[in-house]
């Protein structure tokens, strides 16, 4: 009988073990509570995903600046936050044994016009959605200083030896993404 490898653990080059090969992709839920923080609705959603037995949960994008959101219900994590709602969220997501990776995000030009916010992007090139392009806010080029300030908003997680434990850095056309593993902290 052939047993699917889907349910075998996967060890990453950095030693992290993902208990199986089923992953929940990043999907922004737009379910943040007042103050743009996770509350029981997001906690119970992630607990349900966790109890389903998935090996890796990548959160929906978590914004680093309340002035730059993809949607009104976006979760925002910044230095001034009370971490309790985020800890509860992490606990719920980890309750089934999955690795949980938070997708930390600055939306760049991917901002809906209805948000009434400035779409701070690496360059002033608008999103082209054909006849639907007006739904997206016009992109405004950031200065180098603004880009540096934005990068400073990205949390740097460190392990007990003080070494940074950011798992991945990607600069994409539309988005600055920094995926950090918060399952061990
Ligand atoms: C409702 C919805 C929300 C999403 N939110 C995010 C997100 O927050 N971050 C992200 O990187 N991708 C997001 N995506 C993209 C998905 O993670 C995934 O890459 C995309 O759906 C393509 O997956 P597929 O090839 O399996 O269909 C979202 C997709 C959907 C449908």
């Amino acid at each position: 009988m052939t047993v699917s490898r889907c349910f075998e653990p996967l060890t990453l080059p950095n030693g992290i073990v993902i208990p199986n090969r089923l992953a929940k992709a990043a999907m922004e839920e737009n379910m943040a509570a007042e103050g743009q923080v996770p509350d029981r609705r997001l906690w119970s959603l992630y607990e349900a995903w966790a109890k389903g037995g998935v090996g890796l949960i990548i959160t929906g994008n978590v914004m680093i600046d309340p002035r730059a959101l993809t949607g009104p219900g976006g979760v925002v994590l910044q230095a001034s936050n009370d971490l309790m709602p985020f800890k509860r969220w992490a606990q719920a997501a980890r309750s089934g044994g999955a690795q949980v990776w938070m997708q930390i995000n600055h939306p760049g030009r991917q901002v809906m016009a209805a948000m009434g916010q400035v779409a701070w992007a690496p360059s002033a090139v608008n999103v082209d959605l054909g006849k639907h392009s007006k739904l997206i806010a016009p992109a405004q080029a950031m200065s180098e200083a603004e880009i540096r300030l934005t990068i400073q908003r990205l949390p740097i997680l460190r392990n007990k030896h003080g070494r940074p434990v950011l798992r991945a850095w990607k600069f994409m056309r539309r988005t600055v993404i920094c995926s950090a593993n918060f399952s061990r902290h």
Side-chain angles (χ1 to χ4, degrees), residues 25-29 59-63 70 103 105 110 172 177:
M27 285 185 295
E28 61 178 1
E29 299 85 14
T59 69
N61 53 38
V62 170
M63 298 297 158
T70 52
Q103 183 184 59
N105 184 298
Q110 197 181 317
M172 299 171 70
I177 293 181

Side-chain angles (χ1 to χ4, degrees), residues 16-185:
I16 295 281
V17 179
I18 299 177
N20 60 53
R21 285 110 193 278
L22 301 176
K24 177 244 160 225
M27 285 185 295
E28 61 178 1
E29 299 85 14
N30 268 308
M31 283 168 59
E34 198 180 332
Q36 310 302 140
V37 296
D39 74 351
R40 57 179 44 82
R41 295 186 313 150
L42 273 174
W43 302 336
S44 60
L45 175 61
Y46 274 73
E47 190 172 329
W49 273 322
K51 296 271 155 49
V54 68
L56 170 64
I57 294 177
I58 306 172
T59 69
N61 53 38
V62 170
M63 298 297 158
I64 56 170
D65 188 340
R67 298 168 302 172
L69 300 179
T70 52
V75 173
V76 179
L77 176 58
Q78 50 185 345
S80 56
N81 270 109
D82 172 11
L83 290 181
M84 188 285 287
F86 291 88
K87 287 182 176 166
R88 289 284 301 273
W89 192 21
Q91 275 164 5
R94 290 163 54 187
S95 60
Q99 276 287 314
V100 182
W101 296 355
M102 179 187 276
Q103 183 184 59
I104 302 171
N105 184 298
H106 182 272
R109 63 182 184 164
Q110 197 181 317
V111 172
M112 301 299 285
M115 291 296 291
Q117 296 187 318
V118 178
W120 282 304
S123 51
V125 178
N126 294 340
V127 177
D128 183 2
L129 290 181
K131 64 180 181 177
H132 301 298
S133 297
K134 284 204 172 81
L135 292 174
I136 308 291
Q140 182 174 306
M142 298 164 91
S143 66
E144 200 174 317
E146 285 169 334
I147 291 173
R148 285 185 194 287
L149 284 172
T150 301
I151 289 171
Q152 279 169 19
R153 285 177 161 270
L154 293 169
I156 301 212
L157 301 184
R158 295 179 188 278
N159 65 15
K160 60 185 176 194
H161 308 296
R163 292 217 325 265
V165 290
L166 293 182
R167 299 297 176 206
W169 266 100
K170 275 200 256 172
F171 279 85
M172 299 171 70
R173 266 172 60 215
R174 289 178 301 178
T175 319
V176 180
I177 293 181
C178 155
S179 293
N181 180 326
F182 72 141
S183 67
R184 292 191 164 179
H185 299 269

